[in-house]
Amino acid sequence: MIAQPAGAPSPGPRPGPRTALPRRVHVGYALGSLATGAFGTVPGLLLLPYLTDTLGVAAGVAALLVLLPKAWDVLLNPVAGRISDRTRSRWGARRPYLLGGGLGLAVLFAAIFAAPFRSGPAAGAYVAVAFLAAASAFAFFQVPYVAMPAEVTNDYQERTRLMGWRIALLALAILVSGAVAPLVVTAGGGGVAGHRWMGLFVAALIAVGALGAFLGTRSAPSGQVGESEPSLRAQFAVAAGNRPFRLLLICFVIQSAGVATILAGVKYFSEQIMRDPELGPTLAFACFVGPALLVTPVWTRAGARLGKPRAFVLASLLFAGGAAALVAAPVLPAPAVYAVIAVIGCGYAGQQVFALAMLPDCIAYDTARTGRRQAGVFTGLWTAGETLGLALGPGLYGLVLQIAGYASSSTGSAAAQSDTARMGVLLGFSVLPAVLVGCALPLLRGYDLTAERLHAVERSSTTMSTPARPAGTEVP
């Protein structure tokens, strides 16, 4: 495997035929979601409470420790995209990173919760460094992984089907990792020891996902990977010239922060509002993620009927409305609370399906209008934005807890909290995600990349026998 410098101009895009992908490619590609789902979920779900309630780190400091390593990925992800764009190997440009990045991530994830220091500043610093290393490995898995759909097919609806498989497996991965991980902590004795066992369990799940994606996509069409932009500034210029991508990315980053506040608050909400520290986190998480296994096919059909952008807005409104309704959780019976969380989960499933199905459309649109195939540039910026959003969520939630006066603990169990702190737990889990998801929707008013427009641009590009156009040049 070698990463070659940019050479002569690309001869232009050569997308594959508009045919259905084999089922084994659908499933093989989707298996990578075991890795992305586990790493995207468990740190957001358990890392903040691990720091505050097991290692005794103050809520505000813990929020920074969770945020900063992810913020590093905002810079690293575009670099990973550029490197994978330039890679040439017998396994293609993307698949080597599925193997190397995925297995490295598994080892480093286990290291996050190894806890050689039991409490104090040294414990917090160790977690931050280990999390930084794991986030770096994740960048080199996630960016090439997300780039693949734009290269294995150029069919507008086939990308939705591919994402449907991915989101179904993603929902399963999130459900297994997020619902089972707290149970593993409890079964392992809680505290530091329980978190060590949990780290090993999730690391094994990540390794299975990485190997499955690498082996399962060996027969997938690789498409053509053209030269990439030489600098981060040039990559931002490419993204700025693609209006649909720019609008979708900003919307998704803001909404990812809203989703991440839900994940970060599950344990706190279960303990302080539902008064069920044992089974509450697992029940709440299962209600949030479980519906995706059932409603993903429904959302796929809704996208075909309404169009992806409209269906995306509908899913987002469902999420925001459900989150806002959770303000009434203290006076609702437990079954009603969990039912509302399930409604939020239905909206979350739709958000993921359509955002990830619209991304390769934006990449295909850029390929047609500029004559350059550089999916790694867009997926690098996309995963950087998603990482930022997923990091901002726990950071914002931790800030809310700090302002509300949440008391930390080094015993492995939450300390007694004031009414003000409990109100902070509730508002951070309900109003904050509702506002974040809802306020991002006006951005999509300018998103007009329908199937008809994309096909028209592609046809226009095919009939123009001209050299590759500079990035940012629109097809008339």
Side-chain angles (χ1 to χ4, degrees):
M1 178 180 66
I2 55 174
Q4 297 180 350
S10 168
R14 290 201 307 254
R18 296 185 187 277
T19 56
L21 294 171
R23 183 60 52 85
R24 62 181 178 275
V25 173
H26 285 145
V27 176
Y29 179 76
L31 283 172
S33 292
L34 294 178
T36 61
F39 187 74
T41 300
V42 177
L45 181 68
L46 294 181
L47 190 54
L48 188 63
Y50 171 66
L51 289 166
T52 60
D53 295 344
T54 297
L55 301 184
V57 179
V61 176
L64 286 176
L65 295 180
V66 172
L67 172 62
L68 293 179
K70 288 284 192 175
W72 157 248
D73 266 8
V74 174
L75 299 177
L76 183 61
N77 282 359
V79 175
R82 188 164 71 245
I83 291 174
S84 70
D85 272 349
R86 297 180 175 189
T87 296
R88 303 293 181 266
S89 80
R90 64 188 179 92
W91 293 334
R94 315 299 181 188
R95 291 181 61 240
Y97 298 101
L98 302 187
L99 183 64
L103 295 182
L105 173 63
V107 173
L108 292 168
F109 185 92
I112 295 173
F113 295 94
F117 308 100
R118 293 299 185 106
S119 63
Y126 169 82
V127 170
V129 171
F131 191 31
L132 177 66
S136 299
F138 182 66
F140 280 92
F141 176 87
Q142 169 84 333
V143 174
Y145 178 69
V146 176
M148 292 179 72
E151 296 167 351
V152 301
T153 179
N154 72 337
D155 188 276
Y156 185 86
Q157 297 301 338
E158 182 64 19
R159 285 192 285 265
T160 302
R161 286 188 287 270
L162 185 62
M163 287 304 105
W165 276 91
R166 179 189 169 189
I167 296 305
L169 265 292
L170 179 63
L172 180 61
I174 292 173
L175 181 61
V176 171
S177 62
V180 177
L183 298 179
V184 174
V185 173
T186 301
V192 170
H195 282 88
R196 285 173 176 164
W197 282 110
M198 181 274 299
L200 292 173
F201 162 72
V202 176
L205 195 63
I206 291 172
V208 169
L211 287 171
F214 174 75
L215 297 174
T217 57
R218 62 185 180 275
S219 63
S222 60
Q224 177 186 347
V225 181
E227 66 174 88
S228 181
E229 296 299 333
S231 68
L232 183 60
R233 181 178 180 180
Q235 292 184 55
F236 279 119
V238 169
N242 188 327
R243 187 167 182 264
F245 174 79
R246 185 175 70 246
L247 295 174
L248 181 63
L249 175 63
I250 297 173
C251 177
F252 190 66
V253 169
I254 297 172
Q255 292 198 344
S256 293
V259 170
T261 59
I262 292 281
L263 296 177
V266 163
K267 190 170 186 295
Y268 297 102
F269 179 80
S270 299
E271 291 180 345
Q272 303 300 326
I273 306 301
M274 302 302 292
R275 303 294 192 181
D276 187 3
E278 297 297 327
L279 292 179
T282 296
L283 286 174
F285 194 82
C287 288
F288 177 63
V289 178
L293 298 174
L294 301 175
V295 303
T296 295
V298 178
W299 281 123
T300 301
R301 289 193 294 270
R305 179 166 184 161
L306 301 176
K308 298 178 192 180
R310 289 183 179 178
F312 185 27
V313 170
L314 179 61
S316 299
L317 291 174
L318 192 63
F319 182 106
L326 280 180
V327 172
V331 299
L332 292 175
V337 174
Y338 291 126
V340 172
I341 294 176
V343 170
I344 300 172
C346 291
Y348 165 73
Q351 286 176 285
Q352 297 299 303
V353 166
F354 297 117
L356 293 175
M358 291 157 70
L359 170 61
D361 294 340
C362 295
I363 297 173
Y365 168 70
D366 191 81
T367 300
R369 75 189 181 91
T370 67
R372 305 180 70 188
R373 180 177 290 273
Q374 44 187 353
V377 170
F378 290 97
T379 58
L381 294 173
W382 178 270
T383 54
E386 181 182 19
T387 298
L388 177 61
L390 293 176
L392 284 174
L396 290 171
Y397 195 87
L399 180 61
V400 170
L401 295 185
Q402 184 71 31
I403 294 172
Y406 186 88
S408 298
S409 169
S410 59
T411 65
S413 300
Q417 304 297 331
S418 66
D419 289 342
T420 302
R422 294 180 65 244
M423 180 59 69
V425 168
L426 177 62
L427 295 179
F429 192 73
S430 57
V431 174
L432 181 58
V435 169
L436 288 171
V437 170
C439 74
L441 289 179
L443 291 166
L444 290 181
R445 294 183 63 182
Y447 185 95
D448 58 356
L449 189 57
T450 62
E452 292 75 16
R453 186 185 178 207
L454 178 57
H455 293 162
V457 173
E458 289 176 333
R459 286 193 299 269
S460 176
S461 175
T462 302
T463 59
M464 295 174 64
S465 302
T466 58
R469 295 177 294 282
T473 303
E474 296 283 353
V475 173

